Coordinates of all heavy atoms in Angstrom, one line a residue:
K2 N -72.6 16.5 2.6 CA -72.1 15.8 3.7 C -70.6 15.7 3.7 O -70.0 15.3 2.6 CB -72.7 14.4 3.7 CG -74.2 14.4 4.0 CD -74.8 13.0 3.8 CE -76.3 13.1 3.6 NZ -76.7 13.9 2.5
L13 N -64.1 13.2 2.3 CA -65.0 12.8 1.2 C -66.2 13.6 1.3 O -66.9 13.6 2.4 CB -65.3 11.3 1.3 CG -66.2 10.7 0.2 CD1 -65.6 10.9 -1.2 CD2 -66.6 9.3 0.5
P16 N -72.3 16.0 -2.2 CA -73.2 17.1 -2.3 C -74.7 16.5 -2.3 O -74.9 15.4 -2.6 CB -72.9 17.6 -3.7 CG -71.7 17.0 -4.2 CD -71.5 15.7 -3.4
R18 N -78.2 16.2 -3.9 CA -78.5 16.2 -5.3 C -80.0 16.4 -5.5 O -80.8 15.7 -4.9 CB -78.1 14.8 -5.9 CG -76.6 14.6 -5.7 CD -76.1 13.2 -6.2 NE -76.3 13.1 -7.7 CZ -75.8 12.0 -8.3 NH1 -75.1 11.1 -7.6 NH2 -75.9 11.9 -9.6
E28 N -75.1 21.9 -5.3 CA -74.1 22.8 -4.9 C -72.8 22.1 -4.7 O -72.8 21.1 -4.1 CB -74.5 23.5 -3.6 CG -75.7 24.4 -3.7 CD -76.0 25.1 -2.4 OE1 -75.2 25.0 -1.4 OE2 -77.0 25.8 -2.3
E41 N -60.7 27.0 6.8 CA -60.9 28.4 6.6 C -59.7 29.0 5.8 O -58.6 29.2 6.3 CB -60.8 29.1 8.0 CG -62.0 28.6 8.9 CD -62.5 29.6 9.8 OE1 -62.7 30.8 9.4 OE2 -62.8 29.3 11.0
Q63 N -47.2 20.7 -3.9 CA -46.3 21.9 -3.8 C -45.8 22.1 -2.4 O -46.6 21.9 -1.4 CB -47.0 23.2 -4.4 CG -47.2 23.1 -5.9 CD -47.8 24.4 -6.5 OE1 -48.0 24.4 -7.7 NE2 -48.0 25.4 -5.7
P66 N -43.9 28.0 0.7 CA -45.1 28.7 1.1 C -46.2 28.6 0.0 O -47.2 29.4 0.1 CB -44.6 30.1 1.2 CG -43.6 30.3 0.2 CD -42.9 28.9 0.2
L72 N -59.9 21.0 -3.7 CA -61.2 20.4 -3.7 C -61.4 19.8 -5.1 O -61.5 20.5 -6.1 CB -62.3 21.4 -3.4 CG -63.7 20.9 -3.5 CD1 -64.0 19.8 -2.5 CD2 -64.7 22.1 -3.2
M87 N -47.8 13.1 3.0 CA -46.4 13.3 2.8 C -45.7 14.0 4.1 O -44.6 14.6 4.0 CB -46.1 14.2 1.6 CG -46.7 13.7 0.3 SD -46.0 12.0 -0.1 CE -44.4 12.5 -0.8
K95 N -47.0 8.4 4.5 CA -46.9 7.4 3.4 C -48.2 6.6 3.2 O -48.3 5.9 2.2 CB -45.8 6.3 3.7 CG -44.4 6.8 3.8 CD -43.4 5.6 3.9 CE -42.1 6.0 4.5 NZ -41.2 4.8 4.6
S103 N -66.8 10.5 -9.6 CA -67.4 10.3 -10.9 C -68.6 11.2 -11.2 O -69.2 11.7 -10.2 CB -67.8 8.9 -11.2 OG -69.0 8.6 -10.4
H118 N -51.3 14.4 -4.5 CA -52.5 14.1 -5.1 C -52.2 13.5 -6.5 O -51.3 13.8 -7.2 CB -53.3 15.4 -5.3 CG -54.6 15.1 -6.1 ND1 -54.9 15.9 -7.2 CD2 -55.6 14.2 -6.0 CE1 -56.1 15.5 -7.7 NE2 -56.5 14.5 -7.0
D149 N -44.6 3.7 -6.7 CA -43.6 3.5 -5.6 C -44.1 2.4 -4.7 O -45.2 2.4 -4.1 CB -43.5 4.8 -4.7 CG -42.4 4.8 -3.7 OD1 -42.1 3.6 -3.2 OD2 -41.8 5.8 -3.4
P161 N -50.2 2.4 -17.4 CA -50.8 3.7 -17.5 C -50.1 4.7 -18.5 O -48.9 4.5 -18.8 CB -50.8 4.3 -16.1 CG -49.7 3.6 -15.4 CD -49.6 2.3 -16.0
D167 N -43.8 12.6 -15.0 CA -44.3 11.6 -14.0 C -43.5 10.3 -14.1 O -43.3 9.6 -13.1 CB -45.8 11.4 -14.2 CG -46.6 12.6 -13.7 OD1 -46.0 13.5 -13.2 OD2 -47.8 12.6 -13.9

Side-chain angles (χ1 to χ4, degrees):
K2 292 171 196 61
L13 175 63
R18 302 176 65 171
E28 290 183 6
E41 299 215 42
Q63 289 185 179
L72 174 61
M87 303 300 283
K95 300 188 199 177
S103 73
H118 176 231
D149 188 329
D167 288 355

